[in-house]
């Protein structure tokens, strides 16, 4: 009865409200139709009220859209978190077994692969942003700037020289000796395809029946380590040094060397637990990955091995062509910016030796071009990874996050290159925590910083052909310091501005110091250099000719 009374009350209220709305609506229609017949003062009042309503609606729109965006983001994040929990939750029988065995000890066995990264079909951040019309227009502005730079350069050169001049000397030089690069890459790829997979297959087939499992594992683990150090480590490094590869050609070899080293380690690491946790029941045959699965992983834009990844149903070849075209355009964009802005500034302010005045003037004159170069490099990475992902129908395109919105260096380090961050997190950071315990998070973070800094410095040493540990110093000192100072607790927009300013200053300073050292090595060669000469910066003593 109470429910019926409530319903009847609601019905009466709704009836009254409907009647009142109809009455108000009729009054509004009458008012609208009476505009021509009313006095000007009445019409002005109504128009003013309409304008006020429009202004209030425009003021409410950003807050309304922000609230919808926040709710949608929370909903999607919660949905992904629930899916991860479903994937990573242990089955019921494993809980029973752990109780019988006296509980699970964290240091007896590492977490199985399913407790690691979960791949989900999703678009890249830039692709999602480009679906918004206004953001897509900003992309078009960058394209227009690129066209204007090319046209202005060609027109000015043609007027000065009296003919059309196309200067690609820098590009031709840095990409030189491409045949050596291609043969070195083929050697590294084929060796990574055959040796790690063959060693794992031999170890897995005889592991369960072996009476000396520890010795067998140590033997094959040692063989894999020797392969990683000498076949993938020493040989490509020797080729880069012996053939004196130009900077970009050397960088291609070294980047591929590091990538294949990380992929080989991930493949072995993710599949060892499969063999160790195998229990013979109906069959004694161990399911090992197929060669096709491993081959797909070597080309896939990820460093974490899985037997299968989310796949798209079709390949958009127009998208692939667009990505490769924009990657090529980004290279030319970089070439023109360096030729027009960076190199002339270095010639003007480089001086005969290192000095604070030259450094300050160079930073002030090239900070904006350096920031533009950084953005283009990020976009080049986006194009390259998405092109291969599309050709392989690789659906998880979260190669980076919205690093440009970072208000802390901690978030910037986690978001600008998710592919490498995932590898460092699952195979370095979590391993240190597994060894020392969760109380040593600072030690784990410092270990990851050190490993990343050493690898970055190694890449620069091999690319430029000299040892000048500016990046190592900046990474270890300022990078780790800013990681704690500009931590995740900093949320205001001012911290985003500070991050961009410090990032621009750091990149420009590093570019100046390495350019100075490069020029010193070009103009001040040593006849009989000692080991100390290779370690000591040559720009400190060389009279430069810029």
């Amino acid at each position: 009865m109470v429910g019926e009374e409530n319903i009847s009350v609601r019905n009466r209220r709704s009836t009254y409200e409907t009647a009142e709305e109809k009455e108000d609506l009729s009054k509004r229609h009458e008012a609208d139709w009476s505009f021509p017949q009313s006095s000007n003062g009445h019409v002005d009042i109504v128009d003013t009220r309409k304008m006020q309503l429009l202004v209030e609606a425009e003021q409410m729109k950003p807050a309304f859209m922000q609230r919808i965006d926040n709710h949608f983001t929370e909903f999607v994040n919660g949905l992904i978190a629930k899916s991860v929990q479903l994937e990573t939750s242990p089955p019921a029988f494993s809980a029973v077994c752990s109780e019988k065995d006296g509980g699970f000890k964290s240091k007896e066995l590492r977490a199985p692969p399913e407790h690691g990264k979960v791949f989900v079909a999703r678009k890249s951040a830039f692709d999602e942003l480009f679906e918004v019309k206004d953001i897509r227009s900003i992309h078009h502005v960058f394209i227009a700037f690129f066209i204007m730079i090319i046209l202005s350069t060609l027109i000015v050169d043609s007027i000065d020289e009296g003919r059309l001049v196309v200067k690609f000397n820098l590009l031709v030089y840095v990409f030189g000796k491409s045949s050596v690069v291609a043969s070195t890459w083929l050697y590294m790829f084929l060796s990574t395809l055959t040796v790690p997979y063959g060693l794992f297959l031999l170890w897995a087939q005889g592991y369960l029946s072996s009476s000396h499992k520890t010795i067998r594992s140590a033997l094959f683990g040692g063989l894999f380590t020797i392969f990683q150090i000498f076949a993938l480590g020493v040989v490509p490094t020797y080729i880069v040094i012996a053939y004196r590869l130009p900077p970009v050609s050397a960088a291609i070899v070294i980047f591929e060397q590091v990538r294949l080293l990380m992929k080989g380690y991930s493949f072995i690491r993710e599949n060892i637990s499969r063999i160790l946790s195998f229990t013979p029941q109906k069959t004694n045959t161990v399911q090992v990955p197929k060669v096709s699965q491993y081959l797909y992983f070597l080309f896939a834009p990820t460093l974490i091995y899985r037997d299968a990844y989310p796949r798209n149903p079709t390949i958009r070849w127009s998208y692939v062509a667009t990505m490769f075209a924009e990657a090529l355009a980004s290279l030319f964009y970089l070439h023109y910016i360096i030729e027009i802005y960076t190199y002339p500034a270095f010639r003007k302010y480089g001086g005969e030796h290192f000095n604070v005045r030259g450094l300050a003037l160079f930073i002030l004159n090239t900070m904006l071009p350096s920031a533009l170069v950084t953005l283009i490099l990020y976009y080049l990475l986006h194009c390259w990874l998405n092109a291969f992902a599309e050709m392989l129908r690789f659906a998880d395109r979260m190669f980076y996050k919205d690093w440009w919105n970072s208000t802390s260096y901690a978030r910037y380090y986690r978001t600008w290159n998710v592919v490498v961050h995932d590898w460092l997190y699952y195979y370095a950071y979590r391993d240190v925590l597994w060894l020392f315990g969760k109380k040593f998070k600072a030690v784990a973070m410092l270990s990851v910083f050190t490993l990343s800094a050493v690898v970055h410095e190694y890449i620069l040493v091999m690319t430029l052909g000299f040892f000048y540990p500016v990046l190592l110093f900046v990474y270890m000192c300022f990078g780790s310091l800013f990681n704690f100072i500009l931590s995740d607790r900093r949320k205001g927009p001012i911290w985003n501005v500070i991050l961009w300013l410090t990032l621009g200053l750091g990149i420009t300073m590093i570019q100046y110091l390495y350019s100075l050292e490069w020029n010193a090595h070009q103009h001040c060669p040593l006849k009989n250099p000692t080991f100390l000469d290779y370690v000591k910066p040559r720009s400190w003593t060389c009279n430069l000719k810029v």
Side-chain angles (χ1 to χ4, degrees), residues 141-356:
V141 169
F142 274 91
I143 297 175
F145 282 164
F146 173 59
I147 295 174
M148 285 189 289
I149 288 175
I150 293 178
L151 290 178
S152 63
T153 304
L154 293 178
I155 292 173
V156 169
D157 288 344
S158 62
I159 293 175
D160 291 340
E161 300 289 337
R163 58 188 178 85
L164 186 62
V165 180
V166 182
K167 298 178 181 179
F168 293 127
N169 298 333
L170 181 62
L171 280 178
V172 173
Y173 165 70
V174 297
F175 282 96
K177 300 182 180 180
S178 56
S179 59
V180 178
V181 175
S183 58
T184 306
W185 179 87
L186 186 62
Y187 156 75
M188 291 190 298
F189 176 77
L190 292 178
S191 60
T192 307
L193 176 64
T194 55
V195 176
Y197 185 83
L199 288 175
F200 174 77
L201 193 65
L202 292 174
W203 173 79
Q205 288 176 347
Y207 177 78
L208 295 176
S209 60
S210 176
S211 58
H212 303 285
K213 291 183 173 60
T214 304
I215 298 175
R216 182 182 182 85
S217 299
L219 174 63
F220 280 92
L223 291 175
F224 174 71
T225 305
I226 292 172
F227 165 77
Q228 293 277 86
I229 294 174
F230 291 98
L232 276 186
V234 175
V235 174
T237 302
Y238 172 78
I239 292 174
V240 170
I241 296 173
Y243 285 90
R244 297 180 180 272
L245 294 182
V248 175
S249 298
I252 292 172
V253 173
I254 299 302
F255 273 117
E256 282 297 290
Q257 176 196 42
V258 175
R259 185 182 72 91
L260 293 174
L261 282 169
M262 297 169 78
K263 279 182 175 285
Y265 179 83
S266 177
F267 172 77
I268 298 297
R269 173 69 181 274
E270 295 292 335
N271 286 285
I272 282 178
S273 58
R274 174 185 303 185
I275 307 301
L276 296 178
S277 60
F278 178 77
T279 53
Q281 294 177 352
K282 294 182 179 180
T283 177
N284 291 328
T285 305
V286 181
Q287 295 295 327
V288 297
K290 300 177 181 178
V291 180
S292 59
Q293 293 172 330
Y294 181 52
L295 180 62
Y296 181 87
F297 167 64
L298 290 181
F299 283 104
T302 179
L303 298 174
I304 307 295
Y305 175 81
R306 293 291 182 268
D307 287 342
Y309 300 93
R311 305 281 292 274
N312 290 330
T314 57
I315 300 175
R316 298 172 297 170
W317 289 108
S318 60
Y319 180 84
V320 175
T322 301
M323 289 294 100
F324 278 126
E326 292 189 354
L328 184 62
S330 299
L331 286 177
F332 285 103
Y333 210 160
L334 290 172
H335 169 261
Y336 279 107
I337 290 175
I338 294 172
E339 283 278 358
I340 295 173
Y341 300 106
T342 306
Y343 185 65
F346 180 74
R347 293 186 62 184
K348 185 176 182 180
Y349 302 111
E352 297 182 353
H353 54 82
F354 171 78
N355 58 83
V356 178

Side-chain angles (χ1 to χ4, degrees), residues 459-494:
I459 292 173
L460 270 180
V461 167
M462 300 307 301
T463 300
L464 300 177
F466 56 81
F467 177 73
Y468 193 40
V470 174
L471 183 64
L472 182 66
F473 176 78
V474 172
Y475 213 103
M476 291 300 298
C477 295
F478 294 100
S480 57
L481 182 64
F482 286 153
N483 183 64
F484 292 101
I485 294 177
L486 296 180
S487 60
D488 290 331
R489 291 174 295 179
R490 315 296 185 184
K491 297 296 183 182
I494 185 63

